[in-house]
Amino acid sequence: MTVHPLDPLTAEEIDLVRELLTSAHGVGAGWRYASIEAVEPAKPDLAAYADGGPVPPRRAEVVCFQRLDGSTYRARVDLAAAAVESFEPVPGVQPNFTIDEWEECDAMLRQHPDVVAALAGRGITDLSMVFIDTWTYGGALVPDAYAGRRLGWSDVWVRRVAGGNPYAGPVNGLHFVVDVGAMELLEIEDTYAVPRPEIMGEYRPHLLPEALRGHRPPRAPLEVSQPGGPGFSVDGHEVSWQNWRLRVGFNHREGLTLHQVGYRDAGRERPIAHKLSFAEMMVPYRDPGVDHYRRTAFDIGEWGLGFLTQSLKLGCDCLGEIRYLDAVMHDSAGRPYAIPNAICLHEEDSAVGWKHVDHDGAAEVRRQRRFVVSFHVTVANYEYLTYWRFYEDGSIECEVRATGIMVVSHVPEGAAHPHGTLVDTRTYAPIHQHFVVARLDLDVDGTDNTVVRSETVTDPIGPANPYGLGVRQVKAPFVVEGPDDYAWETQRAWSVVNPAALNAHGTPVGYKLVPGAAIPSFFDPASPVFQRAEVVGHTVWVTPNDPDQRWPAGEFVNQGGPGMGMPEWVSARRSTDRTDVVLWYVFGIHHIPRPEDWPVMPVDTISFWLKPSGFFDRNPALDVEPHPAPHCHAPVTPPPTST
């Protein structure tokens, strides 16, 4: 199969990268690979290639570091020429954590005599029931004595039974500070203890008490069938469905990415988006107590969604006539491994798309279908399930479902828990937030776009508006990069328009960001936690497209400090008028825990939409076929006659 310039790296290419860096620069024993990813070609090079021009150079970018001294290097590798183009130091940074480090840290700690003794002091002697979870540090929280080290800190949890929920057994006040580079225990924090209450924290069926089982009638069978096969086609990483065409990508940090999203309109291929992805995910816990004050996760920058992606063969994650795409990742030694069925592709029925019943009883109904591209990641105690949905009317929906298990702490009898919710006996879950930053590189009928803010304002009552009915839309273009905030009172929204491309009505074509799940940060600007991710302080940001500006909280988030990423970029005050722009959208969950979220959380669903706004001249779903009549009505079975 021919590799497209936007395709992810193959296992063979990752092997080649490792071999070249080992040969040229000795990157082997004593080193770790934090990331290896394909370099995305520039848009002009891709356009020339699509027109039959030369194939853009196939390159890989690498971040690697020496384990003991933490010295970090960035490398660029020409895969076609099998040559290392550059190998440069990056001083003063800590790359993302790796899964290998997490596993090695767990093994080191549970064998350390001081850890064993500390656990025994808490009455914990069966280490097979112990779960140790290592988290990263923010730069402002790194103790002065450990400055410059690659630090982690660990929670401790204990299962009640084999195979039980570890997160139901927090060991309060016991944490380990670790130099993850040297795999050295630096400090044991043993600050306080709480007697363990009797709680019901299990969720696996065989561990549930009898009182919680068997009270629901069985489900009736519900089958999703497409006897003629799926209504979409897959050619490598290119997917076509009805009038949509797009490329599906994948990398270590963003996980699933969508490229070159376009729509065939009356025989004309029209570009909509160059790339849609998630650029950061920040989860701060809003509890200042000793067990939680360091608990601020940057799941994308500190760990990487690609590394945390789950194989969808493990459960019934998708229904219908499914096609899967595998993903290829690498371990910290630079060795490739596969994630089978990492990405799910399928169609869904989505109820009624449009309908009208006329006064004479004539009815026109069109059921709506949508095409779904999804992937799931597990980040310690939480799962994030991401769905990009494409509709027949030209709309795109992005939905994230959060599920999994909440972090909890025990408290003494009668003690306060002001920063959380009681979810079980003397057990509370802290208030926390999930911020997701979507990077929306839209190219609406071309790259010379402008972001326009739209608001609804009320006309004053007067002779022209005697009943106070008049409202109007006020629009203002973003001509200089910067932030903006959601405003409920004006229903503020944002569109990416192409001023040079007009529809049949003489107005610029565009796509509108319909905001959903926009939440305030609730941070004091002086907070060092907030200063690590100032991007979450506003709902949207508009910047000119720069291939070197991908990470809105900074490229090296681990142990990062203030002002990185977005605030640094927009300080340049660059023009965003009629140029290649990126719209960044911040959305998320302000999670006030409920008892109903315990011991496993029902999905909390958040979403936003990209909807055509003047992109088409009229409803593009007019030509959707009616649903076959035999499938619209089930036979009615009369009730039995009483005797």
Side-chain angles (χ1 to χ4, degrees), residues 264-315:
R264 188 176 66 256
D265 179 21
R268 180 165 63 108
E269 295 279 348
R270 303 179 65 187
I272 296 171
H274 178 71
K275 183 178 179 182
L276 305 173
S277 65
F278 292 163
E280 194 52 85
M281 185 184 298
M282 179 205 190
V283 185
Y285 279 73
R286 309 310 297 267
D287 184 339
V290 67
D291 288 320
H292 303 293
Y293 77 93
R294 287 171 291 202
R295 198 183 303 278
T296 298
F298 287 75
D299 296 331
I300 292 177
E302 291 178 332
W303 293 96
L305 297 187
F307 292 130
L308 304 173
T309 294
Q310 297 296 326
S311 172
L312 297 177
K313 68 180 182 180
L314 299 178

Side-chain angles (χ1 to χ4, degrees), residues 13-34:
E13 289 175 322
I14 292 174
D15 278 332
L16 176 60
V17 168
R18 185 188 68 253
E19 292 163 5
L20 290 172
L21 287 177
T22 300
S23 174
H25 297 281
V27 179
W31 289 75
R32 289 193 194 273
Y33 285 86

Side-chain angles (χ1 to χ4, degrees), residues 351-363:
V352 171
W354 61 264
K355 174 180 180 176
H356 181 63
V357 180
D358 215 336
H359 67 280
D360 60 2

